[in-house]
Amino acid sequence: ALAALSLLRTRAPLAAHVARSGNVLQLTMRIESLTTCRGSKALGKALSILRAAMQSDECAEALTKHSARGLRALQTITAPPLPPATSTALLAVSDPAARVLALETIKGAVAHQIAAVTRAAIDVGLPTSLLTLLQDEDQPLSAMASPPTASREDTAAKVLAIDILQSLSEDPEQGPSVTELLSHSQAWKWCEGQRHDLFVAAGPSATLRITGGAG
């Protein structure tokens, strides 16, 4: 797995081969089988390989095949944190590190601005699920920072969710429907028009910096 990841990072043309050989589907099936294993190193490796493959537009579009199976698998992992009392079988879906990897993979896919990818993301309800990451226990994301109790991964997930939603809203064909959805979200209104830099570490946690826009 590490060798494959290294090759994808250093030899971009190989990423397209991943799509042509059907390996995106294989990685998707592998990820699906590991989502009940919280903290699984194998899940992290599979997600890392898929994330690296997203430098290829062919791999990005491959996520939409088979009823958008790839996007659906990633969306499942991006679900917001679950309550502590949640059954162990479901906790892996809420694994913070896996969530960040899944969101980074989605971000890489939508960055290609491929209509089929944006359409599939909308069809599976990705914009709505991402908006839930911008809220903390039904409270909108603060215009200044995440709560002090937010983990570094949870904060990173919010930054990535904002990036993905922004990218989806800029799609020439499908963007208007995403923009319409965002216009009704209080959480998004906190973020709209503001510049969000990468989170900055603050002890064991991290703070999401939301600063005023340039204009």
Side-chain angles (χ1 to χ4, degrees), residues 21-109:
S21 61
N23 285 328
V24 170
L25 177 59
Q26 292 180 26
L27 281 168
T28 295
M29 295 171 65
R30 177 64 170 161
I31 289 168
E32 289 172 337
S33 70
L34 293 168
T35 53
T36 56
C37 305
R38 183 176 175 83
S40 167
K41 291 183 179 180
L43 175 60
K45 289 177 180 178
L47 285 168
S48 294
I49 293 173
L50 190 58
R51 176 186 60 182
M54 287 305 108
Q55 60 189 297
S56 161
D57 55 1
E58 291 183 59
C59 284
E61 193 160 6
L63 293 178
T64 70
K65 306 301 182 182
H66 307 284
S67 300
R69 187 169 179 175
L71 274 177
R72 291 179 190 277
L74 293 170
Q75 181 185 24
T76 298
I77 298 172
T78 65
L82 297 172
T86 304
S87 68
T88 304
L90 293 177
L91 282 177
V93 175
S94 189
D95 186 301
R99 184 183 307 112
V100 170
L101 283 171
L103 287 166
E104 288 176 341
T105 304
I106 295 172
K107 179 180 176 180

Side-chain angles (χ1 to χ4, degrees), residues 93-188:
V93 175
S94 189
D95 186 301
R99 184 183 307 112
V100 170
L101 283 171
L103 287 166
E104 288 176 341
T105 304
I106 295 172
K107 179 180 176 180
V110 301
H112 291 287
Q113 291 287 305
I114 299 172
V117 175
T118 304
R119 188 181 307 112
I122 294 172
D123 289 345
V124 303
L126 184 62
T128 299
S129 64
L130 289 178
L131 283 173
T132 64
L133 289 175
L134 302 185
Q135 301 191 70
D136 300 298
E137 297 179 353
D138 299 325
Q139 295 300 316
L141 178 67
S142 167
M144 295 303 295
S146 293
T149 56
S151 72
R152 185 181 182 89
E153 290 83 3
D154 288 344
T155 303
K158 290 182 179 181
V159 173
L160 289 164
I162 293 170
D163 286 341
I164 295 168
L165 288 167
Q166 185 66 50
S167 184
L168 290 173
S169 71
E170 293 171 353
D171 182 88
E173 296 183 21
Q174 309 296 323
S177 63
V178 177
T179 300
E180 174 66 17
L181 173 67
L182 297 179
S183 70
H184 298 291
S185 168
Q186 184 60 49
W188 183 255

